[in-house]
Amino acid sequence: MGSTVSIIVRIRNLTNQDITATTVYDVDSFDFGATLRPDRVFAGAAIPSGSCLERTIELNSIASNCPFAVKMSFRNGATDAFKVNAKCAYDGTDPNFRHLVKSHHVFCKKSAGSRILEIVVQHTEAQMRNQRAEQLNREGDALLAAGRYHEASIKLLEAAQKANQDDTKAAIRRTRLQLDGAKGSDVDKRAEGLNDEGMQLLKENKYQRAIGKFDEGLKIAKNVYTVSLIEYNLRTVRDAKANQDAKKLNQEGLLLKKNNQNETALQKFDEALRIAIDPTLVNSIKINKADVLNIEGRTALESAWSAETSLPDRTEEAIHQFAKAKFLFEQAESLRHNPECRNDLDIVNIKVEGNKFFNAALQLESEGSSLVDKSVKSESSADCKMAREKYQEAWNNYKEAKKKFEEGLKKGDVKFELSLTATNEALHGIQNVLNELEKAELEIALKRADVVNKRGAAIGITVICASFVSPAFRKFCLPYIPATKTQIDNVLIALAGRQGRLLDVGSGDGRIVLGSTVDAFNIFTKMAKNHFEAHGVELNFWLVMYSRLNALTKGLGHKTEFHRGDLWKFHVGRYDNIVIFGVEQMMADLERKFELECKSNCHVVACRFPLPNKTPIRTVGHGVDTVWVYILNNHREPL
Ligand SMILES: C[S@@+](CC[C@H](N)C(=O)[O-])C[C@H]1O[C@@H](n2cnc3c(N)ncnc32)[C@H](O)[C@@H]1O
């Protein structure tokens, strides 16, 4: 033998089992020194759990490989064996490590230049899981001993899911059998069989069939363990199935959205959200639902804006659509924040708020108008004061509405311009009313009714009417242009021989209404007498007031009624005769209204502008004073 070189071999036991003996074999005398040979230095050595054993061995310096094999016997009967080339620790040749008998995870480490060859023995991952199962089984056992059966059952269930060694599985089963206080009944074996079939189906994504198996198993399972196991698996498969169904509904929703069937798409998303469990899936359904809500919200918003500015009146629809848009945007925001839609929501909120003030103001204005009527009759300054307070309140509300609409305009939505114009006009008009009420001390003015009668038309009416505009959101309104004497004569000729109820639509200062009840004009005395019960509907409350005063002073209060209101909202179905002196743009809409509402054989007399689609039965006069007479025969039941 030539010269020898020394290296250190170290075996590190990181398992929780003692190595009770090591046996070294396959040692060639040529490769090692005479005394410090692996089989001599390690012979029979024990390596307790968590410690390491280190030995110096001598290698023949001219041997190219110095292999030796070690068998390690563990206290629990497990064995590992490996073979390694010791020369690697000296000259860095290939350790040629081979794990011959495997119970644990065994590998070799060689740090460069250290001349130490280290063999590490540790548990495999499966062993670690199994150890955890053993631990859980012990805990289950303790709980069983303490009579805490339910907790014990949960421990054993977890242990069974982790165990991968037969003896551990058997130990768990023993504990379980003890827990059930039985040797394992046939039905439970059958139930477990069904559970296994269910698990297989679950793996194949056949959820419905798996649920069937688990349900069947649950029906027959008797022992607590089997029941818990199947219930646990049933929950798992139900969750998987719910997610699968939700995914399908989500897809269907998306398809419907693509086909613009948004309402049904929303139903699908709602259904999907009700059942989905997976948080990522839930989130993506929420995003899809929010998208559709936003689309629908925008549609509602568009319809609201257009309904608000259309004729005939669609205010109710506009209110409904704004509320709908608000509801949809709010829902969308709660699901997913989106700056663009947040802006739409802000706009709707501003508009809805503004409209609330605006409508409250309209209501107050109308209450104020009734109070003015009351004060006309009572001639009480207290009533007059109350009227002024109402108008003041209306003014405050219009002011708030104005703030809102300005806010909307600042947000860049030009649609607020119209609302703002209407509000400004209303404010301007009410300001005039307030001034008049204050200045003239209405009740004093009323006491001098005859003076008003003589001068009112010239002063009060023309001045106020010029500033007192039509209600908000109307595209066009009737200007106050009183009928000429010739025109009134023509109307009376047109109505010759007629009787019953008469309505002047947009009655102005009431001259047609009053004229139709008495023979106040020359021509009238020549014609058959027209003793109508005559009504007027008029938006401008000053004109209404003036008409009422005029009727009173002429002693015609009992034969006339003057309603303050919007002609588009005033039903004309109870009248036998209707007179209209309007503007050309509104004649088509009026014709439609008459067709819808007039009772059969109602005579409509149109002044200056004819009804565009109907043929008149008669035309009286010429030029600007022409009147056209129509018969409405729509066979409606009289109201
Ligand atoms: C051309 S004047 C006719 C007045 C009266 N009929 C006459 O012949 O002397 C039209 C009237 O309709 C009123 N008016 C305008 N829009 C209205 C509406 N939406 N509802 C009721 N009256 C309205 C105006 O204030 C005005 O007094």
Side-chain angles (χ1 to χ4, degrees):
M1 145 91 62
S3 58
T4 58
V5 290
S6 297
I7 63 146
I8 291 170
V9 173
R10 183 188 290 155
I11 302 178
R12 191 182 287 281
N13 178 6
L14 295 180
T15 72
N16 66 353
Q17 288 290 326
D18 296 338
I19 296 172
T20 48
T22 51
T23 318
V24 180
Y25 59 101
D26 275 357
V27 178
D28 191 315
S29 307
F30 174 76
D31 295 332
F32 299 92
T35 325
L36 299 180
R37 295 166 46 131
D39 46 352
R40 302 230 168 101
V41 297
F42 281 112
I47 314 171
S49 157
S51 67
C52 70
L53 181 68
E54 221 174 78
R55 293 285 184 265
T56 303
I57 57 172
E58 285 178 341
L59 311 175
N60 183 345
S61 60
I62 61 163
S64 51
N65 276 311
C66 304
F68 70 101
V70 180
K71 175 183 164 203
M72 297 173 290
S73 305
F74 289 80
R75 190 175 296 286
N76 64 355
T79 306
D80 278 273
F82 64 85
K83 192 164 185 176
V84 67
N85 165 22
K87 198 68 187 286
C88 71
Y90 178 68
D91 61 9
T93 52
D94 184 356
N96 203 13
F97 181 85
R98 272 170 297 147
H99 193 180
L100 304 170
V101 180
K102 297 178 183 169
S103 290
H104 298 89
H105 181 42
V106 182
F107 59 95
C108 84
K109 282 186 356 189
K110 162 71 190 80
S111 345
S114 67
R115 293 204 182 177
I116 300 173
L117 173 62
E118 182 168 309
I119 309 296
V120 182
V121 184
Q122 65 182 37
H123 286 299
T124 60
E125 264 180 47
Q127 282 168 338
M128 286 196 272
R129 270 175 70 80
N130 199 62
Q131 272 171 31
R132 178 74 191 125
E134 281 173 355
Q135 174 62 26
L136 286 162
N137 186 33
R138 278 194 292 279
E139 288 170 17
D141 209 10
L143 288 163
L144 169 61
R148 291 156 63 182
Y149 300 131
H150 184 65
E151 291 157 87
S153 150
I154 293 169
K155 288 279 178 200
L156 291 180
L157 180 63
E158 212 183 322
Q161 282 160 0
K162 290 198 174 2
N164 51 45
Q165 284 176 19
D166 288 345
D167 53 348
T168 313
K169 285 184 189 169
I172 297 167
R173 204 164 299 128
R174 272 196 301 280
T175 321
R176 198 191 86 202
L177 287 175
Q178 277 174 22
L179 177 65
D180 292 344
K183 295 265 180 264
S185 67
D186 279 353
V187 275
D188 280 314
K189 275 193 196 129
R190 169 84 191 106
E192 277 178 33
L194 286 161
N195 178 56
D196 292 345
E197 287 175 44
M199 286 308 278
Q200 185 52 38
L201 289 162
L202 171 62
K203 269 188 209 144
E204 293 163 16
N205 296 343
K206 295 174 181 159
Y207 302 137
Q208 199 51 54
R209 285 179 57 200
I211 289 173
K213 291 287 175 192
F214 293 137
D215 277 343
E216 229 182 294
L218 269 184
K219 263 185 221 141
I220 56 169
K222 288 244 174 343
N223 78 51
V224 174
Y225 171 82
T226 315
V227 170
S228 323
L229 181 69
I230 302 178
E231 275 177 353
Y232 174 85
N233 293 334
L234 188 58
R235 272 199 300 279
T236 312
V237 72
R238 283 219 167 106
D239 288 359
K241 165 106 176 49
N243 283 330
Q244 190 189 48
D245 290 349
K247 239 184 232 164
K248 195 163 159 262
L249 286 162
N250 188 30
Q251 289 305 327
E252 286 172 12
L254 285 173
L255 200 69
L256 287 160
K257 174 189 164 198
K258 217 168 148 194
N259 296 333
N260 290 331
Q261 290 168 269
N262 288 336
E263 219 165 286
T264 333
L266 284 175
Q267 281 167 10
K268 293 281 176 194
F269 293 138
D270 279 341
E271 260 179 78
L273 280 175
R274 255 198 305 281
I275 56 174
I277 290 159
D278 173 32
T280 322
L281 177 62
V282 169
N283 207 34
S284 95
I285 303 169
K286 279 185 177 173
I287 290 174
N288 294 338
K289 184 179 169 190
D291 278 353
V292 175
L293 285 166
N294 282 326
I295 295 171
E296 283 291 284
R298 286 208 190 101
T299 312
L301 186 55
E302 282 305 314
S303 321
W305 284 117
S306 102
E308 193 178 59
T309 50
S310 69
L311 273 176
D313 185 63
R314 283 163 61 205
T315 311
E316 289 299 319
E317 191 189 330
I319 290 170
H320 170 75
Q321 291 295 351
F322 276 125
K324 184 174 168 189
K326 179 179 158 73
F327 174 73
L328 291 166
F329 288 140
E330 274 170 355
Q331 265 196 316
E333 266 295 299
S334 73
L335 292 171
R336 181 203 195 189
H337 176 63
N338 171 341
E340 216 177 287
C341 296
R342 176 74 245 181
N343 191 52
D344 283 341
L345 177 58
D346 288 347
I347 285 184
V348 174
N349 277 332
I350 291 170
K351 181 68 176 134
V352 168
E353 284 292 302
N355 279 2
K356 252 190 226 153
F357 285 119
F358 192 94
N359 290 332
L362 272 183
Q363 174 62 25
L364 287 158
E365 208 189 335
S366 132
E367 286 168 22
S369 160
S370 305
L371 285 165
V372 170
D373 288 353
K374 194 173 164 214
S375 66
V376 168
K377 285 185 190 117
S378 68
E379 295 190 16
S380 134
S381 60
D383 285 345
C384 182
K385 186 168 170 264
M386 272 165 67
R388 205 178 63 228
E389 280 164 3
K390 277 284 172 206
Y391 274 103
Q392 184 59 55
E393 242 186 285
W395 194 88
N396 295 342
N397 275 276
Y398 278 128
K399 201 77 187 144
E400 289 304 315
K402 180 180 163 137
K403 271 192 218 152
K404 285 283 163 197
F405 296 148
E406 279 171 346
E407 201 186 318
L409 205 58
K410 257 193 225 131
K411 274 203 162 275
D413 200 323
V414 287
K415 296 214 180 70
F416 280 97
E417 266 168 12
L418 189 61
S419 316
L420 200 56
T421 310
T423 314
N424 280 332
E425 284 173 353
L427 276 167
H428 187 54
I430 291 199
Q431 190 55 62
N432 283 334
V433 175
L434 283 169
N435 292 345
E436 287 303 319
L437 284 171
E438 207 171 9
K439 193 174 63 192
E441 288 289 347
L442 188 64
E443 96 249 59
I444 297 163
L446 294 177
K447 273 181 201 152
R448 291 188 286 138
D450 53 333
V451 180
V452 174
N453 191 16
K454 284 183 193 115
R455 308 191 287 136
I459 305 164
I461 293 168
T462 47
V463 173
I464 294 160
C465 187
S467 57
F468 203 88
V469 284
S470 61
F473 310 127
R474 293 270 162 260
K475 263 192 207 153
F476 45 83
C477 69
L478 290 176
Y480 174 60
I481 304 165
T484 60
K485 178 161 181 329
T486 319
Q487 197 174 322
I488 293 170
D489 288 350
N490 290 344
V491 168
L492 294 173
I493 293 168
L495 289 170
R498 295 285 298 165
Q499 53 189 5
R501 283 206 192 110
L502 175 142
L503 175 72
D504 185 14
V505 178
S507 51
D509 65 358
R511 61 184 64 192
I512 297 259
V513 173
L514 298 169
S516 62
T517 53
V518 289
D519 48 353
F521 302 91
N522 288 343
I523 189 84
F524 193 69
T525 51
K526 292 178 202 145
M527 299 296 303
K529 296 205 175 205
N530 292 308
H531 290 289
F532 293 109
E533 177 191 333
H535 299 176
V537 57
E538 168 60 52
L539 201 58
N540 184 323
F541 101 99
W542 283 105
L543 292 175
V544 173
M545 263 195 37
Y546 177 76
S547 305
R548 287 177 191 168
L549 280 172
N550 213 359
L552 285 175
T553 53
K554 285 191 160 79
L556 292 171
H558 63 292
K559 284 181 121 185
T560 56
E561 274 179 25
F562 292 93
H563 301 274
R564 184 184 174 226
D566 183 349
L567 68 88
W568 299 108
K569 290 181 184 163
F570 192 91
H571 202 283
V572 299
R574 62 197 179 111
Y575 295 97
D576 308 289
N577 308 281
I578 293 174
V579 181
I580 168 71
F581 174 15
V583 289
E584 197 167 10
Q585 303 94 299
M586 68 193 296
M587 296 315 279
D589 283 328
L590 272 171
E591 185 177 86
R592 250 192 311 280
K593 180 175 168 68
F594 295 152
E595 268 167 355
L596 281 173
E597 296 176 13
C598 282
K599 67 174 168 184
S600 192
N601 200 36
C602 173
H603 281 211
V604 171
V605 180
C607 307
R608 195 162 302 177
F609 305 105
L611 297 180
N613 304 309
K614 288 195 102 50
T615 315
I617 54 157
R618 198 144 37 110
T619 306
V620 185
H622 51 83
V624 290
D625 295 320
T626 314
V627 302
W628 291 263
V629 187
Y630 304 89
I631 297 185
L632 272 285
N633 273 325
N634 55 1
H635 306 297
R636 280 186 63 259
E637 286 301 312
L639 282 184

